[in-house]
Amino acid sequence: MASKAWWAGAAIYQVYVRSFADGNGDGIGDLTGLRSRLPYLARLGVDAVWVTPWYPSPMADGGYDVADYRAIDPVFGTLAEAEKLIEEAHSVGIRVIIDVVPNHCSTEHAWFRAALAAGPGSPERARFVFRDGIGDGEQPPNGWESIFGGPAWTRVHDGQWYLHLFDPGQPDFDWHNPDVRAEFEDVLRFWLDRGVDGIRIDSAAVLIKDFGLAHPECYTDRDGIHEIYRGWRRVADAYPGDRALIGELWLPDHERFAAYLRPDELHTAFNFQFLSSAWDAAALRSCVDATLAAHAPVDANATWVLSNHDVTRHVTRYGRDDTTFAFGGKLFGAPTDLALGTRRARAAALLAMALPGGVYVYQGEELGLPEVETEIPNHLRQDPFYRRSGYTDPGRDGCRVPIPWAGTAPPFGFSPPDAAADPWLPQPPSWAAYTAAAEDGDPESMLTLYRTALRIRRSHPALGAGGIRWRPERAERAPAGSDAELAFDRDPGFACVANLSTRPIDLPPHEEVILASIPLEDGRLPVDAVVWLKT
Ligand code: NOJ
Ligand code: CA
């Protein structure tokens, strides 16, 4: 029986801090803004917030280039304010998860500066991946490409090259080096001492590099990585309360993925296959089955993720002909039916919240925000993905546009009324219809659906951690020849039915309708809708 620790069935809200709420009017979200919105999050009904990196950073990659793991960037606030945030969140029943970035730091990190100063062969350089070039030294050590595009190596003043799987501003650590291991265990303690309840581990599968292999096998999911997380688990286990270690693992193989969740490693990880899957009954069902099957032997809980700060928002994805997501294959600007996408997003939310395990909510998905695509002028795009792909990939700015809180014109309450600067990315004027204030109290809004569903999910004994039983009659009741209904039971007395077919379907026998993603039609479940039933 998988764990009943707080995170096992939690609803976790992701805050991309630059874009959540701006307290001081400089156009950038900050901790003052986040603290002022804790009542909103408490009312939404989430169990925890995950705050993306808040550390001092030159912001080459939105803060995933960390200059100091034990401080807060002045643009966001101070360490004292972060401590206050943790305390205030706890006082309204919300746990706090922070983001730790172990694969790489910033070129402004003290260790990297020391490595540059100390020169080739020094112990300072050995904490990173410095190599000599090939040929006359003018060529990078090998042909590896950065995940953001372009070469994964940059040359320094004395001729050596350093590895960066991401931006040149993000030098990779050498995780074979004991200094690096000790340092990160200490960073974990620094934050656990301050009361954080969980650590989201950035790029968790790429820490160990194997130079004998072809790209990208060379750095993805090398066996040696598990020893690192066993060490982290020992650190977390030494603290009172349940402190969760949560891996960002983009791994196609379910068994390899689940190996990170063995009882002496991480507690949970993001399920990106669910997010990448098409809005298609067979695809979703096989994702659910594979997910649950992989988690069972390691006795871990699954998670269900629809969006985050790296991917196209799902209202937009689901409004397209191709509803899948893949990096490098973004369907930027493709024809999108937002009404259809929104309807499916409502259904997907109820499906995700009914499945066993934890669920993630990315800020703004509870408002039904679409991806902002062509409405961001190219010269304002900030994501390094855009530049490094040679301007072929639009990057991830479109899901990072500042949240609309209230009012009829930008900044929609994101910044205070007397703000000195505009939001760091422009908000489309059409977002007047998506503000939290506009949706508050509207029975048909996405916000009302999320609040209602999260409230039910929290109190219903069948929801959160546990198991499911697919309904066998599913295939027969769906329209002839199709297998477009997903229906499962959970104990006690709960059923979830999703209609991904092309016609309304009859509901199975039930005592009452708990919640439907859109109104039923003559007692039948419309297309692209999900219903929760008391059975
Ligand atoms: C994954 C993060 O989610 C993404 O935003 C970041 O660019 C990379 N890791 C590199 O840190
Ligand atoms: Ca600010």
Short mmCIF file of all heavy atoms in Angstrom, two decimals, residues 403-459:
data_model
loop_
_atom_site.label_atom_id
_atom_site.label_comp_id
_atom_site.label_asym_id
_atom_site.label_seq_id
_atom_site.Cartn_x
_atom_site.Cartn_y
_atom_site.Cartn_z
N ILE A 403 0.11 36.78 -14.43
CA ILE A 403 -1.27 36.38 -14.11
C ILE A 403 -2.20 37.60 -14.05
O ILE A 403 -1.85 38.61 -13.45
CB ILE A 403 -1.27 35.64 -12.75
CG1 ILE A 403 -0.51 34.31 -12.85
CG2 ILE A 403 -2.68 35.42 -12.22
CD1 ILE A 403 -1.11 33.30 -13.79
N PRO A 404 -3.37 37.50 -14.67
CA PRO A 404 -4.37 38.57 -14.55
C PRO A 404 -5.24 38.36 -13.30
O PRO A 404 -5.91 37.35 -13.17
CB PRO A 404 -5.20 38.40 -15.83
CG PRO A 404 -5.15 36.93 -16.12
CD PRO A 404 -3.83 36.41 -15.58
N TRP A 405 -5.20 39.33 -12.41
CA TRP A 405 -5.94 39.18 -11.15
C TRP A 405 -7.29 39.91 -11.18
O TRP A 405 -8.28 39.39 -10.68
CB TRP A 405 -5.10 39.68 -9.98
CG TRP A 405 -3.93 38.79 -9.72
CD1 TRP A 405 -2.64 38.97 -10.12
CD2 TRP A 405 -3.95 37.54 -9.01
NE1 TRP A 405 -1.87 37.91 -9.71
CE2 TRP A 405 -2.64 37.02 -9.03
CE3 TRP A 405 -4.95 36.80 -8.37
CZ2 TRP A 405 -2.30 35.82 -8.43
CZ3 TRP A 405 -4.62 35.60 -7.77
CH2 TRP A 405 -3.31 35.11 -7.80
N ALA A 406 -7.29 41.12 -11.73
CA ALA A 406 -8.52 41.92 -11.66
C ALA A 406 -8.43 43.07 -12.66
O ALA A 406 -7.37 43.33 -13.21
CB ALA A 406 -8.70 42.49 -10.25
N GLY A 407 -9.55 43.72 -12.89
CA GLY A 407 -9.56 44.92 -13.74
C GLY A 407 -9.79 44.59 -15.19
O GLY A 407 -9.89 43.42 -15.58
N THR A 408 -9.84 45.64 -16.00
CA THR A 408 -10.22 45.46 -17.39
C THR A 408 -9.08 45.75 -18.36
O THR A 408 -9.24 45.63 -19.57
CB THR A 408 -11.40 46.39 -17.74
OG1 THR A 408 -11.03 47.73 -17.37
CG2 THR A 408 -12.65 45.99 -16.97
N ALA A 409 -7.93 46.15 -17.85
CA ALA A 409 -6.80 46.45 -18.74
C ALA A 409 -5.51 46.02 -18.04
O ALA A 409 -5.45 45.96 -16.80
CB ALA A 409 -6.77 47.94 -19.06
N PRO A 410 -4.45 45.72 -18.82
CA PRO A 410 -3.17 45.40 -18.21
C PRO A 410 -2.76 46.52 -17.24
O PRO A 410 -3.11 47.67 -17.51
CB PRO A 410 -2.21 45.33 -19.41
CG PRO A 410 -3.09 45.03 -20.59
CD PRO A 410 -4.39 45.71 -20.29
N PRO A 411 -2.10 46.25 -16.13
CA PRO A 411 -1.55 44.94 -15.74
C PRO A 411 -2.53 44.02 -15.02
O PRO A 411 -2.10 43.05 -14.41
CB PRO A 411 -0.42 45.35 -14.80
CG PRO A 411 -0.91 46.61 -14.14
CD PRO A 411 -1.73 47.32 -15.17
N PHE A 412 -3.82 44.28 -15.11
CA PHE A 412 -4.82 43.38 -14.53
C PHE A 412 -4.52 43.01 -13.07
O PHE A 412 -4.61 41.84 -12.68
CB PHE A 412 -4.93 42.10 -15.35
CG PHE A 412 -5.43 42.28 -16.75
CD1 PHE A 412 -4.65 41.94 -17.84
CD2 PHE A 412 -6.71 42.80 -17.00
CE1 PHE A 412 -5.10 42.10 -19.15
CE2 PHE A 412 -7.18 42.97 -18.31
CZ PHE A 412 -6.39 42.62 -19.38
N GLY A 413 -4.09 44.02 -12.31
CA GLY A 413 -3.85 43.76 -10.89
C GLY A 413 -2.61 42.93 -10.61
O GLY A 413 -2.33 42.61 -9.45
N PHE A 414 -1.85 42.58 -11.65
CA PHE A 414 -0.58 41.86 -11.41
C PHE A 414 0.36 42.75 -10.61
O PHE A 414 1.02 42.31 -9.68
CB PHE A 414 0.05 41.45 -12.74
CG PHE A 414 1.46 40.92 -12.61
CD1 PHE A 414 1.70 39.69 -12.02
CD2 PHE A 414 2.56 41.66 -13.06
CE1 PHE A 414 2.99 39.20 -11.87
CE2 PHE A 414 3.85 41.18 -12.92
CZ PHE A 414 4.07 39.94 -12.33
N SER A 415 0.44 44.03 -11.01
CA SER A 415 1.24 45.01 -10.29
C SER A 415 0.29 45.97 -9.59
O SER A 415 -0.87 46.10 -10.00
CB SER A 415 2.12 45.80 -11.27
OG SER A 415 3.03 44.94 -11.93
N PRO A 416 0.77 46.67 -8.56
CA PRO A 416 -0.09 47.64 -7.89
C PRO A 416 -0.44 48.79 -8.85
O PRO A 416 0.25 48.99 -9.86
CB PRO A 416 0.75 48.14 -6.71
CG PRO A 416 2.13 47.66 -6.94
CD PRO A 416 2.09 46.54 -7.92
N PRO A 417 -1.51 49.54 -8.55
CA PRO A 417 -2.01 50.55 -9.48
C PRO A 417 -0.98 51.62 -9.86
O PRO A 417 -0.97 52.10 -10.98
CB PRO A 417 -3.18 51.20 -8.73
CG PRO A 417 -3.48 50.34 -7.57
CD PRO A 417 -2.34 49.41 -7.34
N ASP A 418 -0.10 51.95 -8.92
CA ASP A 418 0.87 53.02 -9.20
C ASP A 418 2.20 52.46 -9.73
O ASP A 418 3.24 53.10 -9.62
CB ASP A 418 1.11 53.80 -7.91
CG ASP A 418 1.52 52.87 -6.76
OD1 ASP A 418 1.42 51.62 -6.95
OD2 ASP A 418 1.92 53.36 -5.70
N ALA A 419 2.16 51.27 -10.33
CA ALA A 419 3.40 50.60 -10.72
C ALA A 419 4.29 51.45 -11.62
O ALA A 419 3.80 52.15 -12.51
CB ALA A 419 3.07 49.29 -11.42
N ALA A 420 5.60 51.36 -11.38
CA ALA A 420 6.56 52.13 -12.16
C ALA A 420 6.81 51.49 -13.52
O ALA A 420 7.23 52.16 -14.46
CB ALA A 420 7.86 52.24 -11.39
N ALA A 421 6.58 50.19 -13.63
CA ALA A 421 6.92 49.50 -14.88
C ALA A 421 5.78 48.59 -15.32
O ALA A 421 4.97 48.14 -14.50
CB ALA A 421 8.19 48.68 -14.66
N ASP A 422 5.76 48.30 -16.61
CA ASP A 422 4.80 47.34 -17.15
C ASP A 422 5.22 45.93 -16.74
O ASP A 422 6.41 45.69 -16.46
CB ASP A 422 4.80 47.41 -18.68
CG ASP A 422 4.20 48.72 -19.19
OD1 ASP A 422 3.38 49.32 -18.44
OD2 ASP A 422 4.56 49.13 -20.32
N PRO A 423 4.29 44.97 -16.77
CA PRO A 423 4.67 43.57 -16.53
C PRO A 423 5.79 43.15 -17.48
O PRO A 423 5.84 43.63 -18.62
CB PRO A 423 3.38 42.80 -16.81
CG PRO A 423 2.28 43.79 -16.56
CD PRO A 423 2.84 45.12 -16.98
N TRP A 424 6.66 42.27 -17.00
CA TRP A 424 7.86 41.92 -17.77
C TRP A 424 7.56 41.26 -19.10
O TRP A 424 8.38 41.31 -20.02
CB TRP A 424 8.83 41.09 -16.92
CG TRP A 424 8.36 39.69 -16.61
CD1 TRP A 424 7.47 39.32 -15.66
CD2 TRP A 424 8.77 38.48 -17.27
NE1 TRP A 424 7.28 37.96 -15.67
CE2 TRP A 424 8.08 37.41 -16.64
CE3 TRP A 424 9.66 38.19 -18.31
CZ2 TRP A 424 8.25 36.08 -17.03
CZ3 TRP A 424 9.83 36.85 -18.69
CH2 TRP A 424 9.12 35.83 -18.05
N LEU A 425 6.39 40.66 -19.23
CA LEU A 425 5.89 40.22 -20.54
C LEU A 425 4.49 40.83 -20.69
O LEU A 425 3.75 40.92 -19.70
CB LEU A 425 5.78 38.69 -20.62
CG LEU A 425 7.07 37.88 -20.80
CD1 LEU A 425 6.76 36.39 -20.67
CD2 LEU A 425 7.73 38.17 -22.14
N PRO A 426 4.11 41.23 -21.91
CA PRO A 426 2.81 41.89 -22.07
C PRO A 426 1.65 40.90 -21.95
O PRO A 426 1.72 39.78 -22.45
CB PRO A 426 2.89 42.45 -23.49
CG PRO A 426 3.88 41.59 -24.21
CD PRO A 426 4.87 41.12 -23.18
N GLN A 427 0.59 41.35 -21.29
CA GLN A 427 -0.62 40.53 -21.17
C GLN A 427 -1.59 40.93 -22.29
O GLN A 427 -1.81 42.11 -22.52
CB GLN A 427 -1.30 40.80 -19.82
CG GLN A 427 -0.42 40.49 -18.62
CD GLN A 427 -0.90 41.25 -17.38
OE1 GLN A 427 -1.02 42.47 -17.40
NE2 GLN A 427 -1.18 40.52 -16.31
N PRO A 428 -2.20 39.96 -22.96
CA PRO A 428 -3.15 40.31 -24.03
C PRO A 428 -4.36 41.03 -23.43
O PRO A 428 -4.85 40.63 -22.37
CB PRO A 428 -3.57 38.96 -24.60
CG PRO A 428 -2.60 37.96 -24.07
CD PRO A 428 -2.04 38.51 -22.81
N PRO A 429 -4.86 42.06 -24.11
CA PRO A 429 -6.06 42.75 -23.62
C PRO A 429 -7.24 41.81 -23.39
O PRO A 429 -8.05 42.03 -22.49
CB PRO A 429 -6.37 43.76 -24.73
CG PRO A 429 -5.10 43.91 -25.51
CD PRO A 429 -4.33 42.64 -25.35
N SER A 430 -7.31 40.74 -24.18
CA SER A 430 -8.42 39.78 -24.05
C SER A 430 -8.43 39.09 -22.68
O SER A 430 -9.40 38.43 -22.32
CB SER A 430 -8.34 38.73 -25.15
OG SER A 430 -7.10 38.05 -25.07
N TRP A 431 -7.36 39.23 -21.92
CA TRP A 431 -7.31 38.57 -20.62
C TRP A 431 -8.22 39.23 -19.59
O TRP A 431 -8.35 38.75 -18.47
CB TRP A 431 -5.87 38.48 -20.11
CG TRP A 431 -5.17 37.30 -20.72
CD1 TRP A 431 -5.55 36.60 -21.83
CD2 TRP A 431 -3.97 36.67 -20.24
NE1 TRP A 431 -4.66 35.58 -22.08
CE2 TRP A 431 -3.68 35.60 -21.12
CE3 TRP A 431 -3.11 36.90 -19.17
CZ2 TRP A 431 -2.58 34.76 -20.95
CZ3 TRP A 431 -2.01 36.08 -18.99
CH2 TRP A 431 -1.74 35.01 -19.88
N ALA A 432 -8.88 40.31 -19.96
CA ALA A 432 -9.89 40.91 -19.06
C ALA A 432 -10.93 39.86 -18.66
O ALA A 432 -11.45 39.87 -17.55
CB ALA A 432 -10.56 42.10 -19.74
N ALA A 433 -11.20 38.93 -19.59
CA ALA A 433 -12.21 37.91 -19.31
C ALA A 433 -11.68 36.79 -18.42
O ALA A 433 -12.45 35.95 -17.94
CB ALA A 433 -12.71 37.33 -20.63
N TYR A 434 -10.37 36.75 -18.22
CA TYR A 434 -9.76 35.64 -17.48
C TYR A 434 -9.28 36.02 -16.09
O TYR A 434 -8.57 35.25 -15.45
CB TYR A 434 -8.55 35.11 -18.25
CG TYR A 434 -8.84 34.37 -19.54
CD1 TYR A 434 -8.75 35.02 -20.76
CD2 TYR A 434 -9.18 33.02 -19.52
CE1 TYR A 434 -8.98 34.34 -21.95
CE2 TYR A 434 -9.41 32.34 -20.70
CZ TYR A 434 -9.30 33.01 -21.92
OH TYR A 434 -9.53 32.33 -23.09
N THR A 435 -9.57 37.23 -15.63
CA THR A 435 -9.03 37.60 -14.33
C THR A 435 -9.68 36.78 -13.22
O THR A 435 -10.84 36.34 -13.34
CB THR A 435 -9.24 39.10 -14.02
OG1 THR A 435 -10.65 39.34 -13.88
CG2 THR A 435 -8.67 40.00 -15.12
N ALA A 436 -8.95 36.62 -12.14
CA ALA A 436 -9.50 35.90 -10.99
C ALA A 436 -10.77 36.61 -10.50
O ALA A 436 -11.74 35.95 -10.12
CB ALA A 436 -8.46 35.82 -9.88
N ALA A 437 -10.77 37.96 -10.55
CA ALA A 437 -11.95 38.69 -10.09
C ALA A 437 -13.14 38.44 -11.00
O ALA A 437 -14.27 38.27 -10.53
CB ALA A 437 -11.64 40.19 -10.02
N ALA A 438 -12.90 38.40 -12.31
CA ALA A 438 -14.01 38.18 -13.25
C ALA A 438 -14.58 36.77 -13.08
O ALA A 438 -15.79 36.55 -13.23
CB ALA A 438 -13.54 38.39 -14.69
N GLU A 439 -13.71 35.82 -12.77
CA GLU A 439 -14.17 34.43 -12.67
C GLU A 439 -14.74 34.09 -11.29
O GLU A 439 -15.47 33.11 -11.14
CB GLU A 439 -13.01 33.48 -13.01
CG GLU A 439 -12.57 33.63 -14.45
CD GLU A 439 -11.69 32.48 -14.92
OE1 GLU A 439 -11.70 31.40 -14.28
OE2 GLU A 439 -10.99 32.67 -15.93
N ASP A 440 -14.38 34.90 -10.31
CA ASP A 440 -14.83 34.64 -8.94
C ASP A 440 -16.36 34.68 -8.89
O ASP A 440 -16.96 35.65 -9.32
CB ASP A 440 -14.23 35.73 -8.04
CG ASP A 440 -14.57 35.49 -6.58
OD1 ASP A 440 -14.49 34.33 -6.14
OD2 ASP A 440 -14.94 36.46 -5.90
N GLY A 441 -16.95 33.63 -8.40
CA GLY A 441 -18.40 33.63 -8.24
C GLY A 441 -19.18 33.30 -9.51
O GLY A 441 -20.39 33.12 -9.46
N ASP A 442 -18.50 33.23 -10.66
CA ASP A 442 -19.19 32.84 -11.90
C ASP A 442 -19.31 31.32 -11.92
O ASP A 442 -18.29 30.62 -11.97
CB ASP A 442 -18.38 33.36 -13.10
CG ASP A 442 -18.92 32.82 -14.43
OD1 ASP A 442 -19.88 32.03 -14.43
OD2 ASP A 442 -18.35 33.21 -15.47
N PRO A 443 -20.53 30.80 -11.87
CA PRO A 443 -20.68 29.34 -11.73
C PRO A 443 -20.08 28.57 -12.92
O PRO A 443 -19.78 27.39 -12.79
CB PRO A 443 -22.19 29.13 -11.64
CG PRO A 443 -22.81 30.38 -12.15
CD PRO A 443 -21.82 31.49 -11.91
N GLU A 444 -19.92 29.24 -14.04
CA GLU A 444 -19.40 28.53 -15.22
C GLU A 444 -17.91 28.72 -15.43
O GLU A 444 -17.35 28.23 -16.41
CB GLU A 444 -20.16 29.00 -16.46
CG GLU A 444 -21.57 28.48 -16.44
CD GLU A 444 -22.40 28.95 -17.61
OE1 GLU A 444 -21.89 29.64 -18.50
OE2 GLU A 444 -23.58 28.60 -17.60
N SER A 445 -17.24 29.44 -14.53
CA SER A 445 -15.83 29.74 -14.80
C SER A 445 -14.93 28.55 -14.47
O SER A 445 -15.29 27.66 -13.68
CB SER A 445 -15.38 30.97 -14.00
OG SER A 445 -15.29 30.65 -12.62
N MET A 446 -13.76 28.58 -15.05
CA MET A 446 -12.75 27.56 -14.74
C MET A 446 -12.37 27.65 -13.26
O MET A 446 -12.20 26.63 -12.60
CB MET A 446 -11.51 27.79 -15.62
CG MET A 446 -10.51 26.67 -15.59
SD MET A 446 -11.08 25.17 -16.45
CE MET A 446 -10.49 25.47 -18.12
N LEU A 447 -12.28 28.86 -12.74
CA LEU A 447 -11.90 29.02 -11.33
C LEU A 447 -12.91 28.34 -10.41
O LEU A 447 -12.53 27.64 -9.46
CB LEU A 447 -11.78 30.52 -11.00
CG LEU A 447 -11.35 30.86 -9.57
CD1 LEU A 447 -10.00 30.23 -9.23
CD2 LEU A 447 -11.29 32.38 -9.37
N THR A 448 -14.18 28.52 -10.71
CA THR A 448 -15.20 27.88 -9.88
C THR A 448 -15.10 26.35 -9.98
O THR A 448 -15.22 25.65 -8.97
CB THR A 448 -16.60 28.38 -10.29
OG1 THR A 448 -16.63 29.79 -10.10
CG2 THR A 448 -17.69 27.72 -9.47
N LEU A 449 -14.83 25.87 -11.18
CA LEU A 449 -14.68 24.41 -11.34
C LEU A 449 -13.51 23.91 -10.49
O LEU A 449 -13.62 22.90 -9.78
CB LEU A 449 -14.45 24.05 -12.81
CG LEU A 449 -14.28 22.55 -13.07
CD1 LEU A 449 -15.63 21.83 -12.98
CD2 LEU A 449 -13.65 22.29 -14.44
N TYR A 450 -12.35 24.59 -10.57
CA TYR A 450 -11.18 24.15 -9.81
C TYR A 450 -11.45 24.21 -8.31
O TYR A 450 -11.09 23.29 -7.57
CB TYR A 450 -9.94 24.99 -10.19
CG TYR A 450 -9.14 24.37 -11.32
CD1 TYR A 450 -9.64 24.34 -12.61
CD2 TYR A 450 -7.88 23.81 -11.10
CE1 TYR A 450 -8.91 23.78 -13.66
CE2 TYR A 450 -7.14 23.24 -12.14
CZ TYR A 450 -7.65 23.23 -13.41
OH TYR A 450 -6.93 22.66 -14.43
N ARG A 451 -12.06 25.31 -7.87
CA ARG A 451 -12.33 25.42 -6.42
C ARG A 451 -13.24 24.31 -5.95
O ARG A 451 -13.00 23.68 -4.92
CB ARG A 451 -12.99 26.77 -6.13
CG ARG A 451 -12.01 27.92 -6.09
CD ARG A 451 -12.77 29.22 -5.82
NE ARG A 451 -11.84 30.34 -5.70
CZ ARG A 451 -12.19 31.61 -5.88
NH1 ARG A 451 -13.45 31.92 -6.17
NH2 ARG A 451 -11.29 32.56 -5.75
N THR A 452 -14.28 24.05 -6.74
CA THR A 452 -15.24 23.02 -6.33
C THR A 452 -14.57 21.65 -6.34
O THR A 452 -14.69 20.87 -5.39
CB THR A 452 -16.44 23.03 -7.31
OG1 THR A 452 -16.90 24.37 -7.44
CG2 THR A 452 -17.55 22.14 -6.81
N ALA A 453 -13.86 21.37 -7.43
CA ALA A 453 -13.26 20.04 -7.56
C ALA A 453 -12.19 19.81 -6.49
O ALA A 453 -12.11 18.72 -5.90
CB ALA A 453 -12.66 19.89 -8.96
N LEU A 454 -11.37 20.83 -6.24
CA LEU A 454 -10.32 20.64 -5.24
C LEU A 454 -10.91 20.47 -3.84
O LEU A 454 -10.39 19.70 -3.03
CB LEU A 454 -9.33 21.82 -5.27
CG LEU A 454 -8.41 21.85 -6.50
CD1 LEU A 454 -7.68 23.19 -6.60
CD2 LEU A 454 -7.39 20.69 -6.46
N ARG A 455 -12.00 21.19 -3.59
CA ARG A 455 -12.64 21.04 -2.28
C ARG A 455 -13.18 19.61 -2.12
O ARG A 455 -12.96 18.95 -1.10
CB ARG A 455 -13.77 22.07 -2.14
CG ARG A 455 -14.52 21.97 -0.82
CD ARG A 455 -15.53 23.10 -0.63
NE ARG A 455 -16.38 23.38 -1.79
CZ ARG A 455 -17.39 22.62 -2.21
NH1 ARG A 455 -17.71 21.51 -1.55
NH2 ARG A 455 -18.09 22.96 -3.28
N ILE A 456 -13.85 19.12 -3.12
CA ILE A 456 -14.40 17.76 -3.05
C ILE A 456 -13.26 16.74 -2.93
O ILE A 456 -13.29 15.82 -2.11
CB ILE A 456 -15.26 17.45 -4.29
CG1 ILE A 456 -16.48 18.38 -4.31
CG2 ILE A 456 -15.68 15.99 -4.32
CD1 ILE A 456 -17.24 18.37 -5.63
N ARG A 457 -12.24 16.96 -3.75
CA ARG A 457 -11.11 16.02 -3.76
C ARG A 457 -10.46 15.91 -2.39
O ARG A 457 -10.01 14.86 -1.97
CB ARG A 457 -10.10 16.51 -4.81
CG ARG A 457 -8.96 15.57 -5.07
CD ARG A 457 -8.06 16.16 -6.15
NE ARG A 457 -6.96 15.27 -6.43
CZ ARG A 457 -5.87 15.20 -5.69
NH1 ARG A 457 -5.74 15.96 -4.62
NH2 ARG A 457 -4.90 14.35 -6.00
N ARG A 458 -10.40 17.05 -1.70
CA ARG A 458 -9.77 17.08 -0.40
C ARG A 458 -10.54 16.28 0.64
O ARG A 458 -9.96 15.64 1.51
CB ARG A 458 -9.71 18.52 0.06
CG ARG A 458 -8.42 18.86 0.66
CD ARG A 458 -8.46 20.29 1.11
NE ARG A 458 -7.11 20.81 1.09
CZ ARG A 458 -6.80 22.01 1.52
NH1 ARG A 458 -7.73 22.83 1.97
NH2 ARG A 458 -5.55 22.39 1.49
N SER A 459 -11.87 16.35 0.55
CA SER A 459 -12.64 15.73 1.63
C SER A 459 -13.18 14.35 1.26
O SER A 459 -13.57 13.59 2.13
CB SER A 459 -13.80 16.65 2.01
OG SER A 459 -14.56 16.93 0.86
#
